[in-house]
């Protein structure tokens, strides 16, 4: 998807153009807040003794029908070239990497760290994309990007040091596992970008989600008894919330926001995400909220913005 929003027709009145952009910004904010809620909902589900494998399998199974329906709707009446074996295998592998491995690592890590710290570590993925692009795509790391990397990881170190002072058990393990999840998601983004351009974003997501869901369900059937599905209705309500509001909604809202206002403005709105998770964790989960934590969060947000927001030419 292009980073540049489509130009408004010349005949469109100025008020309409402003409204078009305002809706885009609102959708970007909805996507960010919905995604920010994910770690909070996962932590709430863990209170029902749900393990990460069961949690992921149910989340993917509930979300998949929405993505398949969206892909059908987006491509209705449009003849689509059949996928080559190579593209099919690549999409399947990327889906397993991004939606299975990345999500499973994130959910495992959230067993050991707060929702706020988990969101901050995951928010680092644009910096990982920059590093991977420099290594494999020969893209130069400019002084601006180098400064961004230093700020981002200094902020994480600050938050981790505060957590270590509070003697939170397995804090380093949880952060490392979530960072590995961010790494796998970054590989998924870098490797999948060109495939998306060839076959379309919704078609790509539907196939990638299908492959990942098959692996998630297979992992559950191999590792967990069916009795693990015997959960309270409250747990299933949270799982449905996780699959729809925290998974499906941010994908569609962000995609439309990108189309209306472009990647720069969406990235700026995205900076609200970690702060929103910190505040929601404080309000809903009674997580700590300290000046050091907020300072670290601001460093991470500032660094990631330097990476993701492109300077005007």
């Amino acid at each position: 998807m292009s980073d540049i929003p489509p130009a408004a027709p010349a005949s469109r009145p100025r008020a309409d153009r402003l409204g078009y952009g305002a809706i885009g910004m609102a959708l970007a904010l909805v996507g960010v807040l919905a995604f920010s809620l994910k770690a909070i909902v996962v932590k709430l589900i863990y209170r029902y003794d749900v393990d990460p494998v069961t949690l992921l399998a149910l989340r993917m199974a509930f979300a998949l029908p929405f993505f398949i329906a969206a892909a059908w709707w987006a491509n209705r009446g449009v003849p689509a070239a059949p996928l080559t074996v190579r593209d099919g295998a690549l999409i399947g592998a990327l889906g397993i990497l991004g939606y299975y491995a990345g999500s499973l690592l994130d959910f495992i890590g959230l067993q050991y760290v707060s929702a706020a710290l988990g969101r901050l570590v995951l928010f680092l993925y644009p910096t990982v994309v920059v590093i991977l692009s420099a290594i494999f795509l020969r893209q130069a790391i400019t002084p601006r990007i180098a400064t961004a990397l230093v700020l981002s990881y200094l902020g994480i170190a600050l938050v981790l040091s505060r957590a270590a002072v509070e003697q939170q058990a397995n804090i380093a393990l949880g952060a490392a596992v979530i960072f590995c999840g961010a790494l796998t998601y970054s590989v998924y983004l870098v490797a999948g970008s060109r495939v998306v351009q060839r076959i379309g974003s919704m078609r790509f997501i539907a196939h990638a989600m299908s492959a990942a869901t098959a692996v998630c369900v297979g992992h559950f059937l191999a590792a967990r008894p069916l009795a693990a599905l015997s959960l309270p209705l409250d747990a299933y309500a949270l799982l449905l919330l996780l699959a729809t509001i925290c998974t499906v909604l941010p994908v569609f809202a962000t995609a439309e926001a990108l189309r209306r206002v472009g990647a720069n403005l969406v990235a700026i709105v995205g900076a609200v995400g970690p702060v929103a998770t910190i505040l929601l964790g404080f309000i809903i989960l009674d997580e700590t909220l300290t000046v050091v934590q907020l300072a670290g969060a601001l460093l991470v947000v500032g660094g990631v913005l330097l990476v993701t927001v492109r300077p005007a030419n």
Side-chain angles (χ1 to χ4, degrees):
M1 183 172 294
S2 173
D3 289 344
I4 303 174
S11 59
R12 185 191 295 270
R14 178 177 174 79
D16 287 353
R17 293 200 304 271
L18 290 174
Y20 185 84
I23 292 173
M25 294 295 286
L27 286 170
L29 184 60
V30 167
V32 167
L33 294 178
F35 184 72
S36 299
L37 190 62
K38 184 188 75 169
I40 307 295
V41 175
V42 169
K43 299 289 278 189
L44 290 173
I45 293 172
Y46 278 153
R47 295 179 176 179
Y48 294 93
D49 295 324
V50 182
D51 63 273
V53 173
T54 303
L55 170 58
L56 181 58
L58 290 172
R59 175 213 188 191
M60 297 295 286
F62 288 160
L64 179 62
F66 292 94
F67 287 111
I68 291 177
W72 171 82
W73 179 262
N75 295 291
R76 69 193 187 286
V78 179
L83 290 178
T84 65
V85 174
R86 181 177 179 276
D87 275 346
L90 179 58
I91 294 169
L94 289 173
I96 293 168
L97 183 68
Y99 292 113
Y100 165 69
S103 295
L104 184 59
L105 289 168
D106 183 29
F107 289 172
I108 291 173
L110 281 171
Q111 292 179 303
Y112 305 110
V113 302
S114 66
L117 178 56
R119 180 70 175 94
L120 274 178
V121 174
L122 198 60
F123 191 65
L124 289 172
Y125 79 85
T127 69
V128 181
V129 170
V130 167
I131 295 171
L132 292 176
S133 298
I135 294 172
F136 296 105
L137 302 180
R138 307 292 185 183
Q139 293 184 3
I141 294 182
T142 64
R144 180 172 179 268
I145 297 300
T147 302
L149 295 176
V150 170
L151 288 176
S152 299
Y153 291 95
L154 181 61
I156 287 294
L158 192 61
V159 176
L160 283 173
S161 67
R162 177 64 186 180
V165 168
E166 295 173 353
Q167 297 181 340
Q168 295 181 18
N170 296 316
I171 186 75
L173 173 62
V177 170
I178 293 176
F179 184 78
C180 288
L183 176 61
T184 60
Y185 185 65
S186 301
V187 173
Y188 160 80
L189 289 177
V190 172
S193 58
R194 294 183 180 180
V195 185
V196 169
Q197 292 175 4
R198 288 203 306 272
I199 73 169
S201 60
M202 287 312 307
R203 191 181 182 198
F204 175 86
I205 290 174
H207 284 284
M209 284 285 290
S210 298
T213 302
V215 173
C216 291
V217 172
H219 187 176
F220 168 79
L221 293 174
R224 299 289 184 270
L226 290 178
L229 298 177
S230 181
L231 300 171
L233 286 178
D234 288 350
Y236 272 103
L238 288 170
L239 283 161
L240 189 60
L241 178 68
L242 178 66
T244 55
I245 302 302
C246 304
T247 302
V248 177
L249 177 60
V251 169
F252 294 142
T254 303
E256 180 62 16
L258 283 167
R259 189 176 73 86
R260 286 173 176 260
V261 299
N264 262 22
L265 290 179
V266 170
I268 292 171
V269 175
V272 173
V275 178
T277 302
I278 289 172
L279 294 176
L280 289 171
F282 174 72
I283 295 169
I284 298 174
L285 303 175
D286 294 325
E287 294 182 350
T288 59
L289 181 61
T290 66
V291 174
V292 173
Q293 186 182 35
L294 288 174
L298 290 176
L299 285 174
V300 173
V301 168
V304 172
L305 281 177
L306 279 176
V307 167
T308 54
V309 176
R310 297 180 180 180
N313 293 327

